[in-house]
Amino acid sequence: MVSARYRAFLIFGAPGSGKGTQGKILGKIPRFFFFACGDVFRSIDTRTALGQQFVKYSSKGELVPDELTVEFWRLRIQQSVEAHEFKPDIDFLILDGVPRNPRQAELMQQFIDVRRVFHLSCPIREKLVARLKKRAIKDNRLDDASEQLIWRRLETYEQQCKPLLNFYPPELIVNIDATQAPIQVLMEIITYIVREKDAVISL
Ligand code: ADP
């Protein structure tokens, strides 16, 4: 059990909506610690039991089981706290890709104090597919390489992930047009973050 919950901003949206692009930038700002679930999963040795589970599910465009994912997230964050990379008393978490569905949100509720959920919204699915196909080449992402797998991931997002938006109170959700230029998306996110009083402290 943790004594205080970690203050967190969630970046949420379909694959290809630009979560990682935004999260990486925000994570460079002092007092923000970025955690991208998919990236951390990809960094696991695929010979380990967890690495095998990741390959098994992600190669089908499916989600890694919830309990396993949240436990993995919790352990990784704990390690970052112990290594003094993430300082929960002064830092905010920027979470990309976790929690990813209502069950994960429920499991993580005891650990995180969610201040805002930035929903990067892109109703034009073809646009996401085009972005992901480009990313497959640039970032060597195997799960972006096949168009069939991309559509499967988008389906998983619609059916299992999108309901997460109903888990949190509506006033926490910020819908942002993800088809805008990255800098415009960033400006909108930052506008909300600076309104959060304890997120703005001078160094
Ligand atoms: P994208 O959002 O573009 O699909 P990610 O890098 O966030 O890419 O995730 C890649 C894959 O990793 C997902 O398809 C899924 O299999 C797995 N994954 C990432 N985060 C989670 C999570 N929170 N719960 C379950 N599976 C996850």
Side-chain angles (χ1 to χ4, degrees):
M1 197 56 203
V2 282
S3 51
R5 294 186 301 162
Y6 306 139
R7 299 169 303 175
F9 291 106
L10 309 189
I11 308 185
F12 182 76
S17 60
K19 303 183 297 283
T21 302
Q22 298 299 325
K24 276 187 203 115
I25 301 170
L26 295 167
K28 293 260 184 260
I29 304 174
R31 300 291 164 264
F32 294 91
F33 183 81
F34 176 52
F35 183 96
C37 199
D39 288 351
V40 184
F41 268 145
R42 269 185 292 280
S43 72
I44 304 172
D45 186 337
T46 52
R47 293 166 301 181
T48 61
L50 184 58
Q52 291 282 316
Q53 290 288 95
F54 169 68
V55 171
K56 176 178 161 193
Y57 291 100
S58 64
S59 64
K60 292 187 284 191
E62 289 168 14
L63 301 183
V64 178
D66 297 330
E67 273 74 11
L68 193 66
T69 299
V70 171
E71 184 55 11
F72 167 68
W73 168 82
R74 200 185 60 77
L75 287 174
R76 281 301 181 109
I77 289 295
Q78 201 177 310
Q79 285 168 1
S80 305
V81 172
E82 281 159 15
H84 302 284
E85 293 157 359
F86 167 50
K87 306 170 201 71
D89 53 329
I90 49 176
D91 294 345
F92 273 75
L93 275 179
I94 304 282
L95 295 178
D96 158 5
V98 73
R100 213 175 179 94
N101 59 21
R103 176 66 185 145
Q104 293 183 12
E106 194 184 311
L107 290 168
M108 288 171 71
Q109 191 73 344
Q110 59 175 316
F111 304 117
I112 55 174
D113 165 19
V114 175
R115 298 296 182 87
R116 290 274 178 193
V117 180
F118 296 108
H119 170 213
L120 308 188
S121 156
C122 178
I124 309 157
R125 294 293 175 230
E126 283 71 18
K127 202 159 188 151
L128 295 173
V129 176
R131 283 184 181 179
L132 291 169
K133 281 165 94 175
K134 227 162 80 185
R135 182 170 79 178
I137 302 157
K138 258 184 67 193
D139 297 350
N140 194 23
R141 282 271 305 254
L142 287 177
D143 55 345
D144 288 340
S146 116
E147 188 157 337
Q148 199 187 351
L149 197 51
I150 290 178
W151 283 106
R152 175 73 193 116
R153 278 181 26 238
L154 291 174
E155 207 177 280
T156 301
Y157 171 74
E158 286 296 332
Q159 292 168 355
Q160 297 172 31
C161 305
K162 225 168 169 195
L164 177 115
L165 292 170
N166 300 321
F167 179 89
Y168 296 105
E171 59 272 21
L172 292 194
I173 313 284
V174 181
N175 292 306
I176 297 176
D177 173 4
T179 64
Q180 298 180 97
I183 194 154
Q184 285 171 309
V185 174
L186 181 67
M187 189 184 69
E188 287 197 31
I189 294 177
I190 287 182
T191 304
Y192 280 92
I193 292 182
V194 295
R195 283 187 200 158
E196 205 67 38
K197 251 196 269 109
D198 51 351
V200 187
I201 38 174
S202 46
L203 300 180

